[in-house]
């Protein structure tokens, strides 16, 4: 049987502390901004999903692990507390993953940029897309 941990900015709940009432309470607290986030993490991925989380009132996200060691992350925004509660209960009680095919793929925004990509972005910022003059290293070292 899958075991879970629930984490919020106010505390962490072990598997034996997780109840239907806890989810009702936390989703209510999220809607009142008494809690900033809630993460429901299984001890083993559920259909590839490492966790289900909700940020604020209510940005729901899940991370799907892929075979090459990477991940895909999806995000869904709603203002319906009952919808959020239903997603978390389905994940916790039945191992159901929300239908992420309708969610926004935010993977690219979370992946670390390569150092080459970072350098290129910085070069464009500082040089306004004009390449700086290339000077041989020996000439640059001369006084």
């Amino acid at each position: 049987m899958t075991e879970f941990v629930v984490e919020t900015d106010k505390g962490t709940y072990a598997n034996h502390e997780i109840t239907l009432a806890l989810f009702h309470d936390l989703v209510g607290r999220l809607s009142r901004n008494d809690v900033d986030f809630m993460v429901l993490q299984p001890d083993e991925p559920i259909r590839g999903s490492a966790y289900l989380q909700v940020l604020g009132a209510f940005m729901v996200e899940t991370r799907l692990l892929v075979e090459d060691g990477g991940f895909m992350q999806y995000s869904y925004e709603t203002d319906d507390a009952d919808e959020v509660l239903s997603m978390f209960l389905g994940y916790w009680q039945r191992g159901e993953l929300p239908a992420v095919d309708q969610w926004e793929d935010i993977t690219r925004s979370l992946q670390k940029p390569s150092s080459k990509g970072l350098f290129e972005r910085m070069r464009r910022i500082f040089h306004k897309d004009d390449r700086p003059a290339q000077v041989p290293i020996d000439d640059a070292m001369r006084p």
Side-chain angles (χ1 to χ4, degrees):
M1 178 169 214
T2 303
E3 293 197 5
F4 292 88
V5 171
V6 171
E7 184 177 348
T8 74
D9 57 311
K10 306 294 186 199
T12 301
Y13 303 88
N15 192 65
H16 68 277
E17 300 172 291
I18 301 172
T19 64
L20 181 62
L22 176 68
F23 283 111
H24 278 278
D25 177 57
L26 292 175
V27 170
R29 292 173 65 192
L30 279 159
S31 66
R32 295 186 307 274
N33 294 315
D34 293 339
V35 173
D36 293 333
F37 68 88
M38 175 175 61
V39 181
L40 178 58
Q41 184 173 0
D43 59 354
E44 292 288 326
I46 294 176
R47 294 179 35 213
S49 170
Y51 58 80
L52 185 64
Q53 70 182 9
V54 60
L55 312 166
F58 299 105
M59 178 68 67
V60 183
E61 296 180 353
T62 192
R63 177 169 290 188
L64 302 179
L65 306 176
V66 294
E67 289 182 17
D68 67 0
F71 66 88
M72 300 290 294
Q73 185 130 342
Y74 296 92
S75 179
Y76 173 75
E77 190 169 0
T78 183
D79 59 0
D80 187 345
D82 290 335
E83 182 179 20
V84 172
L85 181 62
S86 177
M87 285 184 216
F88 275 82
L89 292 179
Y91 194 82
W92 175 60
Q93 293 175 323
R94 297 179 298 281
E96 294 175 355
L97 187 61
V100 298
D101 57 323
Q102 302 298 315
W103 292 20
E104 180 182 359
D105 181 348
I106 61 168
T107 307
R108 190 175 168 128
S109 68
L110 299 172
Q111 292 174 330
K112 292 182 180 177
S114 69
S115 58
K116 180 180 178 187
L118 178 61
F119 174 76
E120 287 300 313
R121 285 195 302 278
M122 289 175 62
R123 184 187 60 74
R124 283 194 295 268
I125 290 168
F126 292 118
H127 299 288
K128 307 285 189 231
D129 286 327
D130 295 328
R131 287 195 175 267
Q134 300 295 311
V135 178
I137 189 73
D138 291 340
D139 292 344
M141 299 300 286
R142 289 190 191 128

